[in-house]
Structures are given as structure tokens and as C-alpha cells.
């Protein structure tokens, strides 16, 4: 008897299907492991660039980065998230879905490059008095690779195979960090070298993730037709419009500061605000895991979805506070030892901006909750309304307070999104955490600050501050359990799910005999 060829398993990885919490724990742990590696690598690359490029070159780099980020979401138009939802709901149609997605990706990439050149050439001509074509071409090529990574990663999210996405993102961050270290030097073309490093690292990651997907699961040919475009964009347009506005919402402070102020001010603000970029990835360790499950439960078990949303929102709130407390407390030695004394002016803006992390963690779920509920129109209305409220506020704050004004506008803007979004979901009969439950974490935060503060000073060695972070984190966790900020029943369920999940992983990895 000959062995039959093995067919790729297109079903989601639901080995713990009877326990959604086990799947959340297992997949979130994979994402968390990736974040533990990605965030430090991004910080190393950021502060290496800051020391070698200077404030003005950093301002140019991140101004173009902000433009590309907005263009990325305009061109994507929600199609990559629709890809995840389609794969999660009908995994048996994976070859067809991926073939259509590849065709859509070609259209997305083409529009992205075109729009970027239109926007970036205008900005560089006005602000720099010249158009650096080589720099813009390299930046545009990096956008192509980013789109490719997003489409493949969203396919794996629908299959609940998060290990592949995390693998390629770690490789991208590590290679970017290494390239920055070796090729970015304090010279006139330092901004170009930084973008060469960014583009090369993204092309490496994109090639790897698509190789894994096409070889391991399916090898369809791209399919693009008027019918495919109509079907995908009719489904994704409301979500895509909300994504575009939301991305513009997050970048508008940098864009307005670049227009109303100087590249030096943008460079200072970028050092203060860049930690928010990798920190935005942290809630994804949970949110990207719950989204496929919420997409299935929204039409079958709405109460289960509501309970999942409420518990996840509370968990994100509790997880964000220690990040804010630690960063605000350690901001001065962090900036001086990494970016250098030239960026002393970024210390207070960092201490202000980091508190937006709490709101960003809570808001991270809104997009996915609306999408799972097929309520994308409510999402883009939220996005447009919050942007219209933020723009005049941001302009006034920047004109009167400069960099500090940009910080204030970020905090107030995220607060508007949180209140509006949670109120809207509650009106749709979704369960949200009660405000008294959220307040339970405040005493735990105070306990963490009181424990950490004696360990932090300009002269404190890094190992001593690290010890302080470890001790204060334990104090925070204990206080959360004591006050009920993290309910004991949830903590016990988490512990049981962790054991069940990774015990199952160990059994699956153990060698088995074949008859």
C-alpha cells in the first residue's frame, strides 16, 4: 500500500475548541512571545537612528512614515480584515479566497504606490524645496512589502495559526535592527539608509511568509475581475473608510506638527511618540486572537461574544496601566541613555503621551467588535466623528503649545473614541465593563508606583531599575487580585486554560508510533 499525499489542513487550529479560553491563552501566548522580541528590537532601532541621524533627519523620516501609514490604510480599504473574516467563517474555501486576495493585493499595492508618490512629492517640495526621488522610491517599495505581509498574516489569523505571523514579524524587526546598526551612519544620506534598512527587512519577511503560505497550504493563481473587485470592496468599503480615518486620526498630530512647526520639533515629538507605535502591537496579542472567534460567535452566540468582549476589555485595561506607570517613571533615564542629551526636551512629552496607551488598549477592540457584528458603518461613523473633533483641537493646541499641544490632543482624542465607542456597543446590547470595575485597578497602580519609584534615578544602573520593575510588577499583580481588578475566577480560569492548552501542545509534540 502506498501512502496518500497529505493535503493541507485548511481548518482553523481549534484543538481546544471546547474551551475558547484555552485557545485565547495559547494563541495570545504566541503573540506575546513575538511582542517580547519585537518591541525591544524596535526600540533599539529607534534610538540607534535617533543618536546617528539627529532631530531634523528623524523628523523627515517619520514625516514620510506618517504619510505612508495613512496611504497604506487608504489603499488597503479594509480588504485584509475582510480576508481574515472570510477565512475564519469558510476555511474550506481557502484556495479560492487566497486566489482572490492575491488579485486584490495587486490592486491595493498599485494604488498605494501611486497615492504615496502624489502625497510625498508635494510634501517634500513644499517643506524641503526639492524632491528626493531615490528616497521616495525606496519608501514606496517598503509599502509594497508591508501590504504583502499584511495579506498573508491576515490569512493565518483566520486559520488561527499565529505562530507564522509572529515568526516573520520577529525576523523583520531583527533584520531591521541589524541593518540600522550597520548601514545608518551620521551623514547626509542617513534618512535614505534608514529607509533602505526598513524596505529590505520588510521584503525579507514578506518573501518568507508567502513562501510558508503558498507551499504549506495552497498555491492558487491570482484572480482579479470586476466581479471579484465589486464583491470584496462592497464588503470592505465601510470598514476601510473607518480604517483610513482612524489611521489619519492617529497620525494627524505628526502631520499637523510637520506642517505648522519645524522638522526639529517633529523629531523631538517622534522620540516621545514612537514608543506608542510598538506598544499598539501589544493589545493585538489578544485582539487578533479573539477576532476570528467573535466573527463566528456574533451570529451564533451573541451573549458569548459579549462576555468575551467585556472580559477582554477589562484585561486590556489592567495590562496597560503598568506599562504607563513604568514608562512615565523611567522616562528621564530612558531618554537620556538611549537617545542622548539632545533629546532632553522629549522627556515630558513622553510622560504625557504614554498615558494614551491605556485608551489605545481599550480602543483596540472597537474595530474588530464592529466588524464581527457586521456593523462597519457604525465604525466609520465613529472614526469620522472623532477625527472631526480632533483636527481643530489639534491645530489650536499645536499653535499655542507646540509639542505639548500635540500630546494633549492625542489624549483627548483617544478619550473621545473610548467613550463614544463603548457607549455605541452598549446600545447594540454588547456587554462592556462597568466603570467601577475599571477603577479597581487604580489602587494597584499606586502600589506599583510606590514600589518602583525608589529604584529609579538618573544614576541608577539598568539592572537596578530592572529589578525595580520586576518587584513593582509583582506588587501590581497582587494588588489587582486583592482589589478584584483582575477577578480571581478569571485568574483561576486563565491558569487552568494555560495548563490545558500547553499540556495539549506538549502531547501533540511528543513522538507517537505508527502502525
Amino acid at each position: 500500500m502506498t501512502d496518500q499525499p497529505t493535503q493541507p489542513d485548511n481548518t482553523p487550529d481549534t484543538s481546544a475548541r471546547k474551551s475558547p479560553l484555552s485557545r485565547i491563552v495559547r494563541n495570545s501566548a504566541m503573540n506575546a512571545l513575538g511582542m517580547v522580541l519585537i518591541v525591544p528590537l524596535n526600540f533599539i532601532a529607534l534610538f540607534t537612528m535617533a543618536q546617528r541621524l539627529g532631530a531634523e533627519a528623524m523628523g523627515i523620516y517619520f514625516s514620510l512614515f506618517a504619510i505612508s501609514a495613512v496611504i497604506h490604510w487608504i489603499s488597503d480599504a479594509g480588504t485584509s480584515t475582510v480576508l481574515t473574516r472570510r477565512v475564519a467563517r469558510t476555511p474550506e474555501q481557502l484556495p479560492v479566497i487566497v486566489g482572490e486576495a492575491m488579485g486584490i493585493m495587486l490592486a491595493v499595492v498599485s494604488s498605494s504606490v501611486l497615492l504615496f508618490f502624489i502625497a510625498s512629492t508635494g510634501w517634500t517640495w513644499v517643506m524641503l524645496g526639492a524632491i528626493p526621488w531615490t528616497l521616495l522610491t525606496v519608501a514606496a517599495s517598503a509599502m509594497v512589502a508591508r501590504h504583502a505581509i499584511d495579506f498573508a498574516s491576515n490569512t493565518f489569523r483566520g486559520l488561527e495559526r499565529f505562530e507564522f505571523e509572529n515568526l516573520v514579524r520577529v525576523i523583520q524587526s531583527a533584520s531591521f535592527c541589524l541593518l540600522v546598526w550597520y548601514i545608518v551612519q551620521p551623514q547626509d544620506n542617513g534618512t535614505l539608509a534608514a529607509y533602505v534598512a526598513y524596505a529590505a527587512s520588510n521584503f525579507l519577511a514578506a518573501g518568507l511568509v508567502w513562501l510558508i503560505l503558498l507551499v504549506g497550504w495552497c498555491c492558487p493563481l491570482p484572480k482579479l475581475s470586476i466581479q471579484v473587485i465589486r464583491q470584496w470592496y462592497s464588503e470592505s468599503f465601510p470598514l476601510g473608510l473607518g480604517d483610513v480615518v482612524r489611521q489619519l486620526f492617529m497620525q494627524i498630530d505628526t502631520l499637523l506638527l510637520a506642517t505648522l512647526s519645524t522638522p526639529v520639533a517633529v523629531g523631538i515629538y517622534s522620540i516621545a511618540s514612537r514608543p506608542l507605535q510598538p506598544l499598539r502591537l501589544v493589545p493585538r496579542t489578544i485582539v487578533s486572537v479573539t477576532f476570528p472567534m467573535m466573527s463566528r460567535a456574533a451570529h451564533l452566540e451573541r451573549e458569548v461574544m459579549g462576555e468575551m468582549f467585556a472580559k477582554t476589555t477589562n484585561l486590556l485595561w489592567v495590562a496597560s496601566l503598568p506599562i504607563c506607570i513604568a514608562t512615565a517613571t523611567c522616562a528621564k533615564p530612558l531618554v537620556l541613555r538611549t537617545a542622548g542629551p539632545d533629546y532632553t526636551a522629549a522627556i515630558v512629552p513622553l510622560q504625557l503621551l504614554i498615558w494614551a496607551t491605556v485608551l489605545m488598549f481599550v480602543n483596540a477592540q472597537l474595530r474588530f467588535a464592529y466588524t464581527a457584528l457586521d456593523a462597519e458603518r457604525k465604525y466609520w461613523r465613529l472614526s469620522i466623528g472623532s477625527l472631526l473633533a480632533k483636527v481643530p483641537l489639534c491645530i489650536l493646541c499645536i499653535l499655542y503649545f507646540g509639542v505639548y499641544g500635540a500630546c494633549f490632543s492625542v489624549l483627548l482624542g483617544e478619550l473621545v473614541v473610548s467613550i463614544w465607542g463603548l457607549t455605541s456597543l452598549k446600545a447594540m446590547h454588547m456587554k462592556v465593563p462597568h466603570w467601577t470595575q475599571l477603577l479597581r485597578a487604580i489602587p494597584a497602580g499606586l502600589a506599583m508606583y510606590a514600589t518602583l519609584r525608589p529604584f529609579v534615578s538618573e544614576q541608577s544602573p539598568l539592572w537596578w531599575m530592572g529589578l525595580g520593575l520586576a518587584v513593582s510588577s509583582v506588587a501590581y499583580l497582587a494588588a489587582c487580585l486583592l482589589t478584584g481588578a483582575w477577578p480571581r475566577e478569571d485568574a483561576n480560569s486563565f491558569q487552568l486554560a494555560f495548563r490545558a492548552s500547553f499540556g495539549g501542545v506538549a502531547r501533540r509534540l511528543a513522538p507517537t508510533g505508527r502502525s
Side-chain angles (χ1 to χ4, degrees):
M1 180 181 294
T2 59
D3 292 337
Q4 296 296 323
T6 302
Q7 297 296 323
D9 183 9
N10 294 341
T11 59
D13 184 13
T14 56
S15 55
R17 181 174 291 277
K18 292 184 178 180
S19 176
L21 182 59
S22 295
R23 286 155 55 201
I24 292 174
V25 171
R26 183 186 70 248
N27 294 333
S28 296
M30 291 180 184
N31 286 343
L33 178 60
M35 291 303 102
V36 167
L37 299 173
I38 291 170
V39 172
L41 288 169
N42 283 334
F43 278 142
I44 293 172
L46 169 67
F47 291 123
T48 300
M49 290 167 56
Q51 290 180 338
R52 297 182 180 181
L53 295 183
E56 184 173 357
M58 284 286 286
I60 296 172
Y61 178 91
F62 282 111
S63 295
L64 290 175
F65 189 90
I67 293 172
S68 66
V70 174
I71 298 297
H72 179 101
W73 287 100
I74 291 174
S75 300
D76 182 272
T79 53
S80 58
T81 302
V82 168
L83 171 60
T84 299
R85 185 169 64 185
R86 286 191 172 195
V87 173
R89 291 180 177 176
T90 57
E92 67 278 3
Q93 297 293 322
L94 183 66
V96 175
I97 295 172
V98 172
E100 293 180 354
M102 292 173 70
I104 293 295
M105 185 178 69
L106 294 176
V108 166
V109 165
S110 301
S111 63
S112 188
V113 171
L114 176 62
L115 290 174
F116 176 75
F117 272 114
I118 292 174
S120 61
T121 52
W123 181 84
T124 54
W125 178 260
V126 172
M127 300 303 296
L128 305 180
I131 301 177
W133 290 106
T134 303
L135 173 61
L136 299 185
T137 301
V138 174
S141 67
M143 295 179 65
V144 173
R146 294 298 299 179
H147 282 299
I149 294 172
D150 283 352
F151 270 78
S153 297
N154 277 275
T155 303
F156 283 124
R157 289 179 192 177
L159 294 170
E160 296 188 39
R161 300 300 299 268
F162 296 91
E163 62 270 29
F164 300 113
E165 177 186 1
N166 285 292
L167 172 64
V168 298
R169 293 196 186 278
V170 169
I171 290 175
Q172 185 273 323
S173 297
S175 58
F176 178 55
C177 188
L178 287 174
L179 288 170
V180 165
W181 182 266
Y182 282 107
I183 71 175
V184 176
Q185 300 297 332
Q187 52 193 15
D188 292 339
N189 62 348
T191 305
L192 174 61
Y195 261 109
V196 168
Y198 183 66
S201 63
N202 278 286
F203 272 107
L204 174 63
L208 178 60
V209 71
W210 274 100
L211 180 66
I212 295 171
L213 177 61
L214 296 180
V215 173
W217 270 261
C218 55
C219 297
L221 294 174
K223 180 181 179 181
L224 186 63
S225 64
I226 299 299
Q227 182 180 5
V228 170
I229 293 175
R230 184 184 300 114
Q231 289 176 348
W232 278 73
Y233 279 95
S234 63
E235 187 176 348
S236 71
F237 180 76
L239 175 64
L241 180 59
D243 284 343
V244 170
V245 177
R246 177 62 178 162
Q247 188 64 28
L248 183 59
F249 178 92
M250 292 188 291
Q251 300 291 340
I252 193 66
D253 43 288
T254 302
L255 295 173
L256 288 175
L257 195 63
T259 304
L260 301 174
S261 190
T262 64
V264 174
V266 177
I268 294 295
Y269 181 74
S270 296
I271 290 296
S273 64
R274 277 318 103 180
L276 299 182
Q277 296 293 333
L279 288 176
R280 285 194 184 108
L281 302 177
V282 176
R284 195 186 68 188
T285 61
I286 299 174
V287 172
S288 62
V289 169
T290 58
F291 175 56
M293 286 182 276
M294 286 197 298
S295 295
R296 289 188 287 268
H299 300 286
L300 301 175
E301 300 173 292
R302 179 66 65 87
E303 292 183 1
V304 173
M305 178 187 171
E307 188 70 24
M308 185 184 304
F309 177 83
K311 289 183 178 292
T312 305
T313 302
N314 183 66
L315 180 60
L316 290 169
W317 167 268
V318 171
S320 63
L321 277 179
I323 296 175
C324 299
I325 295 168
T327 304
T329 306
C330 302
K332 189 171 185 177
L334 176 66
V335 171
L336 293 179
R337 296 185 187 187
T338 53
D342 291 342
Y343 291 91
T344 302
I347 294 173
V348 175
L350 173 59
Q351 291 174 321
L352 292 173
L353 279 172
I354 196 61
W355 292 101
T357 302
V358 176
L359 301 170
M360 289 176 179
F361 272 43
V362 173
N363 296 342
Q365 276 219 110
L366 299 178
R367 174 180 184 270
F368 295 98
Y370 282 122
T371 305
L373 293 167
D374 293 326
E376 292 92 344
R377 293 183 183 276
K378 290 184 179 292
Y379 171 65
W380 68 256
R381 287 170 187 161
L382 166 67
S383 301
I384 291 176
S386 58
L387 178 64
L388 292 177
K390 182 179 179 179
V391 169
L393 176 65
C394 190
I395 293 174
L396 289 174
C397 288
I398 289 175
L399 289 176
Y400 282 97
F401 304 106
V403 172
Y404 296 106
C407 299
F408 294 142
S409 68
V410 170
L411 291 167
L412 294 174
E414 293 293 340
L415 181 61
V416 169
V417 173
S418 295
I419 295 174
W420 188 345
L422 294 177
T423 302
S424 172
L425 288 173
K426 190 174 181 180
M428 297 172 67
H429 307 291
M430 279 286 290
K431 184 177 180 180
V432 299
H434 196 268
W435 64 272
T436 55
Q437 174 63 33
L438 300 179
L439 289 179
R440 291 173 181 266
I442 302 300
L446 294 174
M448 179 179 181
Y449 175 76
T451 307
L452 176 61
R453 191 65 188 89
F455 289 86
V456 179
S457 70
E458 291 185 46
Q459 292 75 33
S460 298
L462 291 178
W463 69 267
W464 181 248
M465 288 192 293
L467 177 62
L469 287 172
V471 173
S472 61
S473 297
V474 172
Y476 178 79
L477 178 59
C480 283
L481 294 173
L482 184 64
T483 61
W486 192 23
R488 286 186 178 273
E489 59 181 18
D490 289 354
N492 292 335
S493 299
F494 179 89
Q495 183 181 14
L496 292 174
F498 185 87
R499 291 178 178 177
S501 177
F502 288 95
V505 171
R507 287 191 295 272
R508 289 196 300 275
L509 294 177
T512 57
R514 292 184 62 183
S515 58

